[in-house]
Amino acid sequence: MPTAPALSTAAATLAARRPSAGQVRAAEGLWTAAAAVLAAGITAAGSVAQAELLRAAHTARLAGLHRAEGAALDVVRHLRDARGPQGAHRVQRPAESVAALRELLLVTHRLKAADLDPGLIGAVHHHRPDGPLRLYGVCREPVVGPGALGGVLTHLVDDAGRWYTLRDVAPGGAERARRAGTANVAVRSFLSDHERLSRGGLVVTGAVVAPDGRLLAEPGVRATFAAGRPWAGFLPAAAADGTGGAPPLTGCDVEIVAADGEAVLARVDTGDGPGPTVRLAPAHRHPALAHTANLRRLGGCPGLRVRVLGRVDPDRVTTLRPLAVGPVPGPGAATLRLPEDWRDRADLGYDRLCDAHFPAAAPGPAPSPAPLAAADARPVDSPLRRVRDLVELTVTGGRRAAAEPARDSDRGAHAAALRRGGFATGADLFAALGAVAARSPRDAFGRPAGDDLDQYAAQWLATAVYVTGTEAALGRDLWHR
């Protein structure tokens, strides 16, 4: 049984980890500002909502809430982007805005409750690993972002499966993204290029790593080129692990089924026979990049087995946007035949697949999409699509838009379909969010009641967290069997 001094020490440790009263107040202010943005929707939240959120973010910074401040600034960026020249495109794909608001509300909700998790505070300082970093190149990812940004991310991984990136992004759009794939990259006095690094390796001493996994060229950093290693040494296991700071990529072996427009239908190799059918879609469609042309070439080779590495589409769990492909190891496999200096990988945004890279019996590119052999060859959408649609509609159109399904006669049918699929919690959350959104209690002056905004934000947060967690579990089951 613990002694009194031990209990006192434990209590003191817990008290030291608990957010201070000032931090709790700062979190409450951020929660209130975020709830107002959620109620209005990103398309309607104007300069007043942005100013309130920025003011609350400044208070959070003064209180030392670095993670909450960063989340608030991310939401402000989405609010501004929604009103910018590309706002219509962003509204059509609101997954990033959902993620930003979910992060802000979740962190502030836990801080308000004086959660003891030190990760909620966040860190403002970059990480300096002990000893040198031995990194292996994985692939290059073209970056085409808002504001005509363009460039490349070179992904690297260490022996423990942690992910790192070297980033070169600046104004220039897709054309700059194309050129950046073979452009020089400098880490202090070390000079190489992204193509060589993606197929080789790097030893970094005095490394400085940003919280998102970026390698920074800070004073004292030294780097030397080192040999890489084949994908077979660390994929897809390392990709599935995703333990690094950089967003993890998903890797698996698939068999090509047929072309599907610009995309490719493929079956995941589970090791125990044919697996689920998935869609491989271009990461970028700009003609300056090679994604679409390479996928069209792969789609014309049904029966081909390839190893793919990419990002799961946030809007559809059965769609992967591949960044690179390689041969499937094993004797006699109908797979790619890549040049030795490619290190058994082809970066789909930069390298061009040609006839010499395919087995002799592989057909050429199909002039039109190949017909599907069976109706069940087409992947299905997430069973939680109805719940996810409501979560996204709320962020885009605000509370009024979320209230419409509550008045829809199909709401009961949607909930019943979720229950039949085994998602009883999803059905309850779907119905509750619509019901809370439809309520509009007012105070004595006709203004929305403050506690009602809290209830609405809390209900949306619970639904968003449920959808994210459940779809992530479904994705892991699909891609990492």
Side-chain angles (χ1 to χ4, degrees):
M1 184 173 181
T3 63
L7 290 174
S8 299
T9 302
T13 301
L14 288 176
R17 292 173 55 188
R18 190 180 302 278
S20 67
Q23 289 176 326
V24 170
R25 286 193 299 271
E28 289 172 346
L30 266 179
W31 169 272
T32 301
V37 169
L38 179 67
I42 62 170
T43 58
S47 57
V48 173
Q50 291 185 34
E52 286 297 315
L53 199 52
L54 284 171
R55 182 192 61 76
H58 177 69
T59 303
R61 182 180 59 172
L62 295 178
L65 300 179
H66 308 298
R67 180 176 171 183
E69 179 207 5
L73 295 179
D74 194 26
V75 172
V76 170
R77 179 177 62 83
H78 283 275
L79 291 173
R80 290 174 175 172
D81 287 347
R83 291 175 169 266
Q86 297 181 341
H89 171 72
R90 288 190 170 272
V91 169
Q92 292 171 2
R93 293 177 58 84
E96 291 184 0
S97 298
V98 169
L101 263 172
R102 183 184 65 240
E103 165 73 1
L104 176 56
L105 287 169
L106 181 59
V107 170
T108 54
H109 178 75
R110 294 178 63 186
L111 286 169
K112 285 196 312 157
D115 194 308
L116 299 177
D117 184 358
L120 295 172
I121 302 298
V124 69
H125 301 294
H126 300 309
H127 174 56
R128 290 182 178 268
D130 296 330
L133 283 178
R134 178 63 169 96
L135 305 177
Y136 305 92
V138 178
C139 68
R140 293 167 291 168
E141 176 182 6
V143 176
V144 181
L149 292 176
V152 63
L153 286 179
T154 293
H155 294 272
L156 306 105
V157 67
D158 66 12
D159 288 308
R162 290 182 291 266
W163 288 80
Y164 303 84
T165 59
L166 279 169
R167 176 183 175 92
D168 176 15
V169 178
E175 286 294 339
R176 188 183 187 282
R178 178 184 60 81
R179 296 191 303 269
T182 53
N184 288 335
V185 55
V187 181
R188 304 302 294 175
S189 60
F190 171 77
L191 183 67
S192 185
D193 62 79
H194 285 278
E195 182 177 17
R196 186 172 182 235
L197 282 179
S198 70
R199 293 185 165 111
L202 200 62
V203 176
V204 187
T205 57
V208 181
V209 185
D212 62 358
R214 286 179 295 122
L215 295 171
L216 304 177
E218 299 287 338
V221 176
R222 297 289 183 270
T224 56
F225 186 81
R229 62 179 180 180
W231 267 14
F234 56 91
L235 288 178
D241 182 36
T243 56
L249 305 178
T250 293
C252 63
D253 296 338
V254 302
E255 180 179 336
I256 303 299
V257 174
D260 185 31
E262 293 182 342
V264 175
L265 298 181
R267 286 194 179 92
V268 177
D269 183 2
T270 65
D272 299 317
T277 301
V278 297
R279 178 181 284 105
L280 310 179
H284 296 288
R285 291 185 170 83
H286 196 283
L289 302 171
H291 296 96
T292 301
N294 283 329
L295 284 180
R296 186 178 296 118
R297 187 68 179 85
L298 290 168
C301 300
L304 185 75
R305 298 180 65 216
V306 294
R307 178 160 287 178
V308 296
L309 178 70
R311 297 186 184 278
V312 176
D313 191 314
D315 295 331
R316 187 162 187 158
V317 72
T318 56
T319 295
L320 182 75
R321 298 192 179 274
L323 304 177
V325 295
V328 174
T335 190
L336 294 171
R337 306 286 188 261
L338 300 180
E340 184 177 350
D341 59 352
W342 283 17
R343 301 290 293 178
D344 70 8
R345 71 204 69 172
D347 294 329
L348 294 180
Y350 297 108
D351 302 318
R352 297 272 178 172
L353 297 175
C354 63
D355 290 348
H357 301 148
F358 292 82
S368 59
L372 297 180
D376 64 354
R378 188 172 298 277
V380 297
D381 199 2
S382 165
L384 294 173
R385 178 185 59 81
R386 293 180 180 90
V387 188
R388 172 164 38 87
D389 286 350
L390 181 58
V391 167
E392 293 179 350
L393 179 66
T394 300
V395 168
T396 302
R399 183 168 183 167
R400 290 185 178 181
E404 289 304 316
R407 305 185 182 100
D408 192 336
S409 59
D410 289 338
R411 183 184 62 167
H414 293 335
L418 286 164
R419 292 185 187 282
R420 287 196 301 272
F423 298 98
T425 301
D428 292 341
L429 291 169
F430 175 83
L433 180 55
V436 172
R439 292 203 311 260
S440 55
R442 303 278 174 170
D443 63 17
F445 300 97
R447 299 170 300 192
D451 60 341
D452 178 64
L453 279 180
D454 286 345
Q455 292 173 15
Y456 172 67
Q459 186 62 57
W460 180 89
L461 177 61
T463 309
V465 169
Y466 168 81
V467 170
T468 301
T470 306
E471 288 196 330
L474 292 173
R476 285 192 297 269
D477 183 60
L478 174 67
W479 294 101
H480 307 312
R481 290 168 184 253

